[in-house]
Amino acid sequence: GDSVTQMEGPVTLSEEAFLTINCTYTATGYPSLFWYVQYPGEGLQLLLKATKADDKGSNKGFEATYRKETTSFHLEKGSVQVSDSAVYFCALSDSGTASKLTFGTGTRLQVTL
Amino acid sequence: NAGVMQNPRHLVRRRGQEARLRCSPMKGHSHVYWYRQLPEEGLKFMVYLQKENIIDESGMPKERFSAEFPKEGPSILRIQQVVRGDSAAYFCASSMGLEETQYFGPGTRLLVL
């Protein structure tokens, strides 16, 4: 079945540091890939997405590239801010089961001054 | 343009009682999804509904749980005879159509005493 594996957290960085959160996936079809962010006490917000191989999703300084050869969708940001502190979830929607999202377990990011 | 709305935001029930969680999708969205997030875990798909139809309930426990999305009004997730293991955050998402981006509500945090 479909699955998503994320690096475990928490990840603690100083402000302006470079961020990478690794995400790899297993899917039977041709999935779309997503990063969602969850701030404390809130629901999930879509951060970015990519629907086919080699697509790059980007938003608010975050980027992720859909790599079919390595089945990966790593999240990166060049310079993090304290306000980026949140839990980040990688997810996929398989073309064969487009009705459901399969999530990773989430990676907590804490950014300090 | 209001986003996905869920209520209540917090719900406390004693073991054996019933819990009713409501979700109003974004305007123009006719597809609703329910997910459950256990503490320190990712979201798990429960059920996918369109107006008056359950499309995919493969993630729904076989007993005590039911969901509906009537022609008029919000989608309802109903949990009968709650047990402590039902304590979790329940998130609703909506989309405009199949394979369209899902937008999440703020969640209902259920605590079973």
Side-chain angles (χ1 to χ4, degrees):
Chain A
D2 298 342
S3 67
V4 175
T5 302
Q6 285 181 241
M7 63 187 290
E8 290 200 16
V11 173
T12 303
L13 296 173
S14 298
E15 201 170 42
E16 299 183 3
F18 184 86
L19 168 71
T20 299
I21 300 178
N22 290 338
C23 171
T24 57
Y25 67 89
T26 303
T28 53
Y30 299 92
S32 295
L33 302 173
F34 306 84
W35 278 100
Y36 282 85
V37 58
Q38 185 180 32
Y39 297 101
E42 298 185 11
L44 277 70
Q45 299 175 25
L46 178 64
L47 182 60
L48 54 84
K49 68 177 184 180
T51 57
K52 61 183 188 296
D54 299 325
D55 269 2
K56 177 186 284 188
S58 61
N59 185 26
K60 299 180 182 179
F62 291 89
E63 292 184 341
T65 301
Y66 189 141
R67 301 283 187 203
K68 189 177 178 183
E69 64 275 14
T70 54
T71 61
S72 65
F73 192 55
H74 304 322
L75 182 68
E76 297 181 335
K77 186 175 185 182
S79 176
V80 293
Q81 306 299 312
V82 172
S83 58
D84 293 327
S85 298
V87 180
Y88 293 81
F89 291 95
C90 185
L92 71 81
S93 174
D94 198 310
S95 60
T97 57
S99 59
K100 66 181 76 169
L101 289 168
T102 299
F103 284 88
T105 53
T107 302
R108 183 176 300 277
L109 170 66
Q110 186 159 1
V111 181
T112 59
L113 290 171
Chain B
N1 185 15
V4 178
M5 299 176 68
Q6 291 187 250
N7 66 81
R9 293 291 303 274
H10 300 273
L11 182 60
V12 179
R13 285 288 178 266
R14 297 192 181 278
R15 280 178 297 169
Q17 291 184 318
E18 179 180 286
R20 281 187 180 234
L21 288 63
R22 285 175 288 277
C23 169
S24 296
M26 285 180 70
K27 188 175 181 180
H29 288 192
S30 59
H31 298 241
V32 165
Y33 314 79
W34 286 93
Y35 294 82
R36 176 164 64 176
Q37 184 181 31
L38 294 171
E40 304 301 318
E41 292 188 15
L43 279 73
K44 303 290 186 190
F45 169 80
M46 299 181 74
V47 62
Y48 162 43
L49 310 101
Q50 295 180 29
K51 285 284 187 181
E52 300 184 277
N53 287 303
I54 296 175
I55 307 302
D56 181 352
E57 56 182 349
S58 58
M60 194 90 108
K62 295 290 183 244
E63 298 179 352
R64 303 188 297 108
F65 285 72
S66 62
E68 62 177 12
F69 188 17
K71 187 176 181 181
E72 301 291 336
S75 175
I76 306 287
L77 179 67
R78 183 182 178 205
I79 312 172
Q80 296 178 289
Q81 300 174 343
V82 295
V83 300
R84 287 210 174 115
D86 296 333
S87 296
Y90 291 83
F91 290 96
C92 168
S94 72
S95 70
M96 194 171 290
L98 190 64
E99 300 190 30
E100 297 290 332
T101 299
Q102 295 181 27
Y103 294 88
F104 282 78
T108 293
R109 283 153 181 82
L110 172 65
L111 176 62
V112 180
L113 301 176

